[in-house]
């Protein structure tokens, strides 16, 4: 009985799109390197070595050469919609290039330490993938903005966003699922703290701003935002 | 002078004060009330309550461990503990309130008017508070007074007291100065505290006061008797044992499994505790309390007040009712039952409301007999009270009421026959006579009327009235008189003879001076009119109720303080001794053999008097109770009533005792359930009882039995329901530990299901109507028919519970899969799922999830309502609309209670409600097949294994 009902149930599932997505109205965000506290010492290579390694790993699929090989160049600022052709399901969807070089200072191409050595660290932010999501209407792309929590607001200093303004370009949406869109390159935003106060804990929160993503309620810590603690030590 | 008192002057005031100082006031100390906080604490310490306390403590420990480890992700354990405690306290308050309320009802019965006593001190008569009486005081009592203490009579004139509340005798006892018996209860020269003096006057010395009086001793005997545990309490303890055993078994098994899989010791320990807690049926306590209260309320509407909630069920499992006679089975008032005139025995109407058939009243003899009965009678209606209150001796009252009904206004009737002289009844001549003028002013004869003990009356008669004609009283008439007298006597009735004579006009002209002491007038050669017999008749509803008890397999045993013959007659009348049943003595007379030769087993019925009982060992009593299905105990003392109850309990019966008098109170207390009469009952009886019949109606007991059985059945269904639900609640946790799927059902969710959504179906089972055969089954055997037995546990756990678990998991996996998590992905997902740092967990579609959103921990709970034996179809699937909405809820055959983790997510989540429907149908069909099997093949393997 159990097997039978399970079987029947599994038959009803669509391979490419889940039946319900009501839980995912507000997507979550995540930073790379992972973690909610980062403490690095500019003089101690070991304290940030693993972070740079993580970022190297994480960014390797975004290498320009790899992107050029697998993905298309798309028209920016508009959704890359690939509908089905009649009854035939268009099951292999193409994806747009997201070149590592777009992250400029934070691409790790020029500065292999991603600024960790100089006390100007890069953090990479990504928006969780949700099938079929079309963020930002009327051609206004969603963007990331970071700020410090209240008491730390004057300590955060200047923050640089790459690509410019911290936007996720519309051409990377919608996402068609890992089966249909095998080579999907999730768009990223990198932030770089240019003159953050040193030797102090600073609480930072980044959120997604978009005119069609409801901002998550205050209660939910992870809806449409990500927060972490950063401390950069310069003393031995 | 034992009491340093004077027979004429009484005590001196100073001496009285001294004794008062020594002995304390003359009042019964109220039975030591349990302090209120103890009563409340008792409500918190039942079997289920203890289980909940343990669970709460475990939760606190688990919380403490998590707290100290700093992994304080959720406060679930703390909430759980708090909720558990709240449930216990709230239901405790509920039970306490119920007890408090019924105690108040009883308290309101108490008579608060201080009693007065007429005492002679320093040679002066004083009216003082009965409280201040001391031993040695000389007191006077008169008709209508309550006897203020135990008194030894030193002077009496026609004094009669009503001992019914003390000994159960319905006839008034005359009191005289002679000591007639060694036993204080039997002797004639002692009047007892709290009995009522009906008529006459008496003077006596106080020999006992306060708690040292006979009644005080009985009261303290009652308070010395321990209260038995109610059967439902035993059942619930048994249930708790099972639950606790299973919980620990499961907990330990999975503790070992968890250790084996490789969890840390502390983690495994928390799993262990969580399983134990998950096993506790949180909602059950509330359900039981609510079910019992509902029934108590229903009973209250039928005039049964329940003092102790658990007593509601006790009545249902009762297998023996020991009933007092006077006031419980009978009306406790003498009534004319039979008349013998014209050589025929006529039956009078003995119903409470005079609705019965009357006899033929056309005979001339009847008119003469009625005239004698009406005139030779000192009882009067209290003026200005209409015909409601009668002052006088019980049998005269009975005669007065009888003639009032038969003839009409008796007071006026007596006016017409002016009374000239009167000789009151006394124990030496055993008759009472009066001489009257005739109604017709032209007729100058006097009429002498006489009544008394039949044989004495017959001695004085030479003629007999037959159809209005005076016939000579020859041997033949004497014989028929004897037969009639014996017949009436054997019915346990008190028989009086009546005769009259018209006095010779010449010998006794108008103005003749009749002298009551000299008796200077004809007192022999009279004309016999007839016999009238009286009895304290059974209540109209009793025979039917006894019959119902019998069909319900309940044995009714009469235990009374009254005489064996009367007891037997009433027993036969109400059906306690059925028609055709014989006692050993009956068989002996029928077969004309000595009593010793009769095989005791042949006799269905048995009457045992207190005297015989005294000589019996407890084994002999047990044997007697076992071999004779119909038992009557007569002339029993309070102590003996207690022995009888104990004997029944030894034989494994659940015993109910009904009674009203002080003499019943020890037995009421000892019984599994004591039932006191609300109107006739004494305070002592009400205090000792668990239940009070406000309308004194024995038939209410039958209702009580039915309700009690119903609640047992319904509780059984409730528990089956609760147990069933336990498995689908527990399995997610077990799967969570072993297969590491994301936790499908959090403990807060479980609490919500238990206390919020499931209480209603559980409670609605209490509204379930009786399955039709409930009153035709034998009372349950407390050793075999447990509330929870193996087959119930096995059926609900491993059959229905298993199906429900599968249903739940189907629903769980469906929900997960439809949201994007394929079943195979779920397996082993637990650690990632619970990782707070992992906010981009990938599902089967490549979507990324953040934590709180993915706590879509929901499971559908498929619920089923069941009847034990009758199919839902037989019960009437769509039973009438008039049943409460509660009932409607339970009628929705499968309630799919679907509760997501947080209520705020409720909206729009209905789609998964329908997933388990195939399982619902499966359970329904499965259960119906089971019931069909049970009905078709009673007694078979199927029945034994699957009927619970």
């Amino acid at each position: 009985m159990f097997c039978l009902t399970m079987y029947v149930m599994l038959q009803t599932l669509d391979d490419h799109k889940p039946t319900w997505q009501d839980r995912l109205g507000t997507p979550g965000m995540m930073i790379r390197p992972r973690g909610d506290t980062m403490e690095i010492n500019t003089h101690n290579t070991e304290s940030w070595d693993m972070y740079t390694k993580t970022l190297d790993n994480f960014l390797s699929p975004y290498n320009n050469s790899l992107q050029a090989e697998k993905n298309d160049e798309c028209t920016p600022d508009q959704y890359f919609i690939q509908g089905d052709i009649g009854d035939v399901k268009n099951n292999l969807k193409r994806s747009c290039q997201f070149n590592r070089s777009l992250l400029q200072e934070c691409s790790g191409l020029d500065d292999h330490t991603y600024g960790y050595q100089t006390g100007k660290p890069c953090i990479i932010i990504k928006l969780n993938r949700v099938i079929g999501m079309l963020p930002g209407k009327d051609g206004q792309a969603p963007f990331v903005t970071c700020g410090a929590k209240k008491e730390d607001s004057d300590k955060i200093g200047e923050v640089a966003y790459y690509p410019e303004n911290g936007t996720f370009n519309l051409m990377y949406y919608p996402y068609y699922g890992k089966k249909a869109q095998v080579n999907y390159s999730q768009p990223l935003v990198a932030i770089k703290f240019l003159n953050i106060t040193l030797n102090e804990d600073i609480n930072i929160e980044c959120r997604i701003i978009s005119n069609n993503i409801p901002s998550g309620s205050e209660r939910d810590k992870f809806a449409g935002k990500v927060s972490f603690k950063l401390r950069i030590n310069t003393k031995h | 002078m034992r009491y340093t008192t004077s027979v004429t002057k009484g005590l001196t005031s100073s001496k009285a004060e001294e004794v008062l100082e020594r002995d304390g006031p003359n009042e019964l100390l109220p039975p030591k009330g349990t302090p209120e906080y103890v009563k409340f604490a008792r409500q918190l310490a039942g079997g289920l309550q203890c289980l909940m306390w343990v669970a709460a403590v475990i939760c606190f420990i688990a919380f403490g461990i998590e707290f100290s480890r700093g992994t304080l992700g959720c406060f679930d354990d703390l909430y759980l503990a708090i909720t558990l405690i709240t449930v216990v306290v709230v239901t405790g308050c509920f039970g306490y309130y119920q007890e408090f309320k019924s105690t108040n009802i009883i308290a309101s019965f108490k008579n608060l008017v201080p009693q007065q006593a007429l005492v002679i001190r320093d040679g002066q008569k004083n009216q003082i508070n009965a409280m201040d009486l001391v031993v040695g005081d000389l007191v006077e009592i008169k008709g209508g007074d309550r006897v203020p203490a135990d008194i030894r009579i030193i002077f009496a004139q026609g004094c009669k007291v009503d001992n019914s509340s003390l000994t159960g005798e319905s006839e008034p006892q005359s009191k005289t100065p002679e000591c007639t018996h060694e036993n204080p209860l039997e002797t004639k020269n002692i009047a007892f505290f709290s009995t009522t003096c009906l008529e006459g006057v008496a003077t006596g010395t106080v020999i006992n006061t306060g708690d040292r009086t006979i009644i005080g001793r009985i009261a303290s005997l009652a308070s010395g008797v321990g209260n038995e545990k109610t059967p439902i309490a035993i059942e619930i303890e048994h249930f708790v044992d099972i639950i606790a055993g299973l919980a620990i078994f499961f907990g330990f098994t999975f503790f070992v499994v968890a250790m084996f899989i490789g969890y840390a010791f502390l983690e495994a320990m928390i799993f262990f505790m969580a399983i134990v807690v998950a096993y506790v049926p949180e909602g059950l306590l509330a359900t039981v309390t609510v079910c019992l209260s509902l029934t108590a309320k229903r009973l209250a509407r039928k005039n049964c007040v329940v003092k102790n909630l658990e007593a509601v069920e006790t009545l249902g499992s009762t297998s023996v009712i020991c009933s007092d006679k006077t006031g419980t089975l009978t009306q406790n008032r003498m009534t004319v039952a039979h008349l013998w005139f014209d050589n025929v025995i006529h039956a009078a109407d003995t119903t409470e409301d005079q609705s019965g058939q009357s006899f033929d009243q056309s005979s001339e003899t009847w008119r003469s007999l009625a005239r004698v009965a009406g005139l030779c009678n000192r009882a009067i209606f209290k003026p200005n009270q209409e015909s409601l209150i009668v002052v006088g001796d019980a049998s005269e009252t009975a005669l007065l009421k009888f003639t009032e009904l038969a003839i009409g206004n008796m007071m006026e009737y007596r006016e017409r026959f002016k009374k000239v002289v009167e000789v009151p009844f006394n124990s030496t001549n055993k008759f009472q006579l009066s001489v009257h003028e005739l109604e017709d002013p032209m007729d100058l004869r006097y009429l002498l009327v006489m009544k008394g003990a039949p044989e004495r009356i017959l001695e004085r008669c030479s003629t007999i009235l037959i159809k209005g004609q005076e016939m000579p009283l020859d041997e033949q008439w004497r014989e028929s008189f004897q037969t009639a007298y014996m017949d009436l006597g054997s019915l346990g009735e008190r028989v009086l003879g009546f005769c009259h004579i018209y006095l010779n006009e010449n010998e006794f002209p108008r103005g003749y001076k009749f002298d009551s002491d000299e008796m200077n007038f004809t007192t022999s050669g009279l004309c016999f009119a007839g016999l009238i017999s009286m009895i304290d008749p059974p209540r109209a509803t009793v025979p039917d109720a006894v019959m119902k008890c019998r069909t319900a397999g309940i044995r009714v045993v009469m235990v009374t303080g009254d005489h064996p013959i009367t007891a037997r007659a009433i027993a036969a009348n109400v059906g306690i001794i059925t028609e055709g049943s014989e006692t050993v003595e009956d068989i002996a007379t029928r077969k004309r053999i000595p009593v010793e030769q009769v095989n005791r087993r042949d006799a269905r019925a048995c009457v045992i008097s207190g005297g015989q009982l005294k000589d019996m060992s407890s084994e002999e009593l047990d044997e007697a109770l076992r071999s004779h299905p119909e038992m009557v105990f007569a002339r029993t003392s309070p102590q003996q009533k207690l022995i009888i109850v104990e004997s029944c309990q030894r034989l494994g019966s659940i015993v109910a005792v009904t009674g009203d008098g002080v003499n019943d109170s020890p037995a009421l207390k000892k019984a599994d359930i004591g039932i006191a009469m609300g109107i006739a009952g004494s305070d002592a009886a009400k205090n000792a009882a668990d239940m009070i019949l406000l309308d004194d109606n024995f038939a209410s007991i039958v209702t009580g039995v039915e309700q009690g059985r119903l609640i047992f059945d319904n509780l059984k269904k409730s528990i089956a329901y609760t147990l069933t639900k336990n498995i689908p609640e527990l399995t997610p946790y077990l799967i969570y530990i072993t297969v590491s799927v994301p936790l499908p059902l959090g403990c807060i969710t479980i609490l919500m299901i238990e206390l919020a959504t499931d209480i209603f179906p559980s409670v609605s089972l209490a509204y379930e109507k009786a399955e039709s055969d409930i009153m035709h089954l034998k009372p349950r055997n407390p050793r075999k028919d447990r509330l929870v037995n193996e087959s119930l546990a096995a059926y609900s756990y491993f059959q229905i519970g298993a199906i429900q678990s599968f249903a739940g998991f189907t629903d769980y996996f469906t929900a997960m899969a439809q949201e994007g998590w394929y079943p195979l992905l779920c397996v082993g997902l637990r650690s990632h799922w619970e990782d707070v740092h992992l906010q981009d967990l990938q599902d089967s579609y490549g979507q990324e999830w953040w934590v709180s959103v993915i706590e879509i921990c929901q499971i559908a709970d498929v619920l089923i309502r069941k009847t034990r034996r009758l199919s839902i179809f037989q019960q009437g699937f769509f039973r009438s609309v008039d049943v409460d909405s509660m009932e409607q809820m339970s009628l929705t055959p499968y309630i799919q209670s679907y509760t997501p983790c947080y209520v705020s997510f409720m909206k729009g989540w209905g789609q998964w409600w329908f997933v388990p429907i195939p399982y619902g149908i499966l359970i329904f069909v499965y259960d119906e097949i089971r019931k069909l099997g049970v009905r078709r093949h009673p007694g078979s393997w199927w029945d034994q294994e699957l009927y619970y």
Side-chain angles (χ1 to χ4, degrees), chain B residues 321-339:
Chain B
I321 299 178
C322 289
S323 178
D324 180 38
K325 178 181 77 73
T326 315
T328 311
L329 297 175
T330 67
Q331 303 166 16
N332 197 16
R333 62 185 181 101
M334 277 299 197
T335 309
V336 170
H338 292 97
L339 304 97

Side-chain angles (χ1 to χ4, degrees), chain A residues 122-176:
Chain A
C122 279
I123 306 278
I124 292 174
I125 294 168
K126 68 186 188 65
L127 189 64
N128 281 354
R129 292 191 292 258
V130 174
I131 291 175
M133 182 173 70
L134 298 169
K137 57 179 185 209
D138 309 327
Q140 286 187 343
F143 62 94
V144 171
T145 170
C146 292
K149 297 241 174 89
K150 268 178 213 155
E151 62 275 15
D152 301 331
S153 52
D154 47 346
K155 298 174 193 158
I156 187 169
E158 201 182 327
V159 182
Y161 297 90
Y162 314 101
E164 246 168 275
N165 302 327
T167 52
F168 293 111
N169 200 298
L170 293 182
M171 66 180 170
Y172 300 108
Y173 299 100
Y175 174 53
Y176 287 104

Side-chain angles (χ1 to χ4, degrees), chain A residues 14 20-22 34 126 129, chain B residues 818 838 842 845-847:
Chain A
D14 188 315
W20 309 100
Q21 282 183 301
D22 47 322
R34 265 175 228 222
K126 68 186 188 65
R129 292 191 292 258
Chain B
Q818 292 190 340
L838 204 67
Q842 272 201 34
Y845 293 99
Q847 299 189 101

